[in-house]
């Protein structure tokens, strides 16, 4: 389905939410006294007291591309070209969903490509294992590359985004799960790096408030979304807990911010997206037809569409039989649109 023609198909508000049965979406009423249906590996979870204030979720995810990514991540919308970029981390690919609905592989690497962002020249800054590089989109080649920030091969950068000053921030993690050895790194136009926050286990999503004064970031292993003042020189002020996501709904992953200051978060192994208001109160839940949503970003005309990447990483043949669409791209049309992300200044 062409990206530019999604409006007619996407998620007109209804009084139902998505329940999954094998791979088929089924509309079902959701209210504060109902139980919530998830993919079969998660079972049924009774709505706890903390869910009582969540309003009905009125969006049914629509599949926009059959990408079958092993570990789809780091969605980026390019308003100038109308291309939706994303990576497949374990597949080592940078892909683009074109306006006519074609999936184009722009770059392929033997390394793990974890994070992606636009530059002010229409290129892409991305991570390869524990280093950062600039990809020249017209030339389709890497034009600049940093040194690796860690000697061990199990370490790699995960998600990332650009700050209001045009610097790239990305989280380093250890796939060997060595504890809180991860950190947030900031890269300038020369691709020089500096650690701005450490003592993290699994850094994932990053997002800045519309005024640029606040940064939100995720430690997936801690099931925590943190908030901090972001100083103009690229340092963090006091870090506080913004929200701890429910244990029965997997772990938080990618983030996207809407125009009301609401924060959308993908729940990996939770088969859903959650929305928190600017005060950290849980307001919405969108159920997904696959178990592992990974990343989300606003895009499309008026920044009114929320795109969602998913994964099939580590799923068994039986899992894939039940969820053959795992790894594909989806979208919803929330009531409140999003804000554009910052670009890297080359």
């Amino acid at each position: 389905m062409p990206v530019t023609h999604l409006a007619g198909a996407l998620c007109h508000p209804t009084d139902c939410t998505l329940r999954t049965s094998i791979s088929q979406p089924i509309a079902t009423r959701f209210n504060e006294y109902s139980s919530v249906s998830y993919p079969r590996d998660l079972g049924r979870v009774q709505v706890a007291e903390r869910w009582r204030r969540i309003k009905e979720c009125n969006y049914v995810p629509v599949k926009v591309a059959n990408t079958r990514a092993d570990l789809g991540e780091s969605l980026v919308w390019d308003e100038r070209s109308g291309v939706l970029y994303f990576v497949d981390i374990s597949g080592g690919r940078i892909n683009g969903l074109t306006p006519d609905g074609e999936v184009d592989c722009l770059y392929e690497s033997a390394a793990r490509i974890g994070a992606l962002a636009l530059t002010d020249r229409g290129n892409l800054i991305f991570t390869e294992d524990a280093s950062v590089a600039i990809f020249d989109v017209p030339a389709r080649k890497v034009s600049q590359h940093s040194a690796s920030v860690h000697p061990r091969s199990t370490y790699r950068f995960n998600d990332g985004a650009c700050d209001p000053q045009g610097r790239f921030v990305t989280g380093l993690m250890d796939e060997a799960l060595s504890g809180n050895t991860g950190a947030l790194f900031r890269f300038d136009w020369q691709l020089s790096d500096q650690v701005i926050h450490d003592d993290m286990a699994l850094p994932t999503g990053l997002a800045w408030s519309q005024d640029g004064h606040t940064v939100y970031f995720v430690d997936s292993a801690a099931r925590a979304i943190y908030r901090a003042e972001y100083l103009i020189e690229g340092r963090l002020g006091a870090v506080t807990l913004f929200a701890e996501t429910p244990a029965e709904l997997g772990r938080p992953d990618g983030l996207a911010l809407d125009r009301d200051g609401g924060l959308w978060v993908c729940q990996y192994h939770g088969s859903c997206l959650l929305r928190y208001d600017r005060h950290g109160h849980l307001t919405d839940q969108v159920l997904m037809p696959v178990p592992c949503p990974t990343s989300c970003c606003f895009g499309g005309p008026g920044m009114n569409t929320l795109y969602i990447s998913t994964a099939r990483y580590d799923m068994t043949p039986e899992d894939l039989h039940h969820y053959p669409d795992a790894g594909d791209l989806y979208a919803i049309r929330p009531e409140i649109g999003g804000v554009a992300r910052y670009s890297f200044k080359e």
Side-chain angles (χ1 to χ4, degrees):
M1 181 183 296
V3 177
T4 53
H5 295 156
L6 282 173
L10 277 179
C11 319
H12 295 295
T14 65
D15 61 352
C16 58
T17 57
L18 187 71
R19 178 169 61 86
T20 58
S21 175
I22 310 302
S23 62
Q24 299 301 315
I26 301 171
T28 183
R29 183 81 180 178
F30 174 66
N31 60 54
E32 62 184 10
Y33 301 110
S34 69
S35 57
V36 183
S37 297
Y38 297 96
R40 64 178 65 222
D41 56 326
L42 295 175
R44 295 177 65 83
V45 181
Q46 294 297 322
V47 178
E49 184 64 33
R50 64 171 171 262
W51 296 89
R52 295 290 173 93
R53 291 188 295 175
I54 303 177
K55 72 178 183 181
E56 289 181 359
C57 170
N58 297 324
Y59 317 113
V60 176
V62 172
K63 185 162 69 170
V64 299
N66 297 316
T67 52
R68 297 298 194 270
D70 188 49
L71 190 49
E73 261 286 4
S74 206
L75 288 167
V76 174
W77 171 255
D78 185 354
E79 186 176 5
R80 288 173 289 190
S81 65
V83 173
L84 180 70
Y85 295 106
F86 62 98
V87 305
D88 185 343
I89 295 178
S90 47
R93 295 183 184 91
I94 300 175
N95 299 311
L97 179 64
T98 65
D100 61 3
E102 297 296 320
V103 178
D104 181 19
C105 180
L106 285 77
Y107 178 74
E108 192 166 4
S109 171
R112 298 152 296 182
I113 298 178
L116 194 66
L118 282 173
T119 78
D120 57 355
R121 298 181 182 176
N123 296 318
L124 296 167
I125 183 167
F126 70 100
T127 66
E128 275 189 309
D129 289 338
S131 63
V132 168
I134 302 289
F135 182 74
D136 185 320
V137 173
R140 296 211 171 195
K141 66 178 184 180
V142 174
S143 61
Q144 194 176 352
H145 210 288
S146 79
S148 176
V149 303
H150 204 284
R152 293 184 184 173
S153 63
T154 56
Y155 281 80
R156 67 167 174 86
F157 285 118
N158 200 18
D159 208 347
C162 295
D163 72 10
Q165 290 72 36
R167 297 164 298 212
F168 185 57
V169 179
T170 180
L172 186 73
M173 59 168 285
D174 183 7
E175 289 187 336
L177 304 177
S178 56
N180 289 2
T181 59
L184 295 180
F185 282 72
R186 188 191 69 237
F187 287 84
D188 62 19
W189 64 276
Q190 294 179 308
L191 302 190
S192 300
D193 66 89
Q194 183 171 355
V195 174
I196 61 171
H197 187 67
D198 57 12
D199 196 31
M200 302 179 72
L202 183 50
T204 50
L206 281 157
W208 274 263
S209 60
Q210 201 163 2
D211 64 10
H213 296 159
T214 302
V215 64
Y216 300 90
F217 58 95
V218 172
D219 189 333
S220 187
R223 293 189 294 103
I225 305 171
Y226 297 101
R227 173 171 54 192
E229 180 186 5
Y230 195 75
L231 306 176
I232 193 169
E233 62 269 27
R235 293 187 297 107
L236 303 188
V239 175
T240 59
L241 180 67
F242 175 73
E244 184 178 12
T245 62
E248 64 268 30
L249 296 183
R251 296 186 182 275
D253 201 337
L255 299 177
L257 195 79
D258 67 29
R259 287 192 286 268
D260 269 8
L263 198 66
W264 287 92
V265 56
C266 296
Q267 289 294 118
Y268 194 85
H269 279 308
S271 192
C272 68
L273 271 70
L274 301 177
R275 180 189 180 272
Y276 292 86
D277 68 16
R278 64 176 65 246
H279 305 294
H281 300 142
L282 189 55
T283 64
D284 296 83
Q285 179 195 37
V286 174
L287 301 185
M288 293 290 294
V290 292
C292 298
T294 54
S295 174
C296 56
C297 84
F298 282 96
M303 300 292 289
N304 289 323
T305 300
L306 185 64
Y307 295 101
I308 306 156
S309 62
T310 67
R312 53 175 45 210
Y313 180 78
D314 241 9
M315 291 178 69
T316 66
E318 182 180 4
D319 292 335
L320 293 173
H321 174 73
H322 293 311
Y323 309 109
D325 296 331
D328 289 347
L329 289 178
Y330 291 84
I332 61 172
R333 180 68 62 85
E335 295 173 8
I336 303 164
V339 296
R341 295 185 178 182
Y342 299 104
S343 297
F344 181 75
K345 290 185 179 179
E346 288 194 66

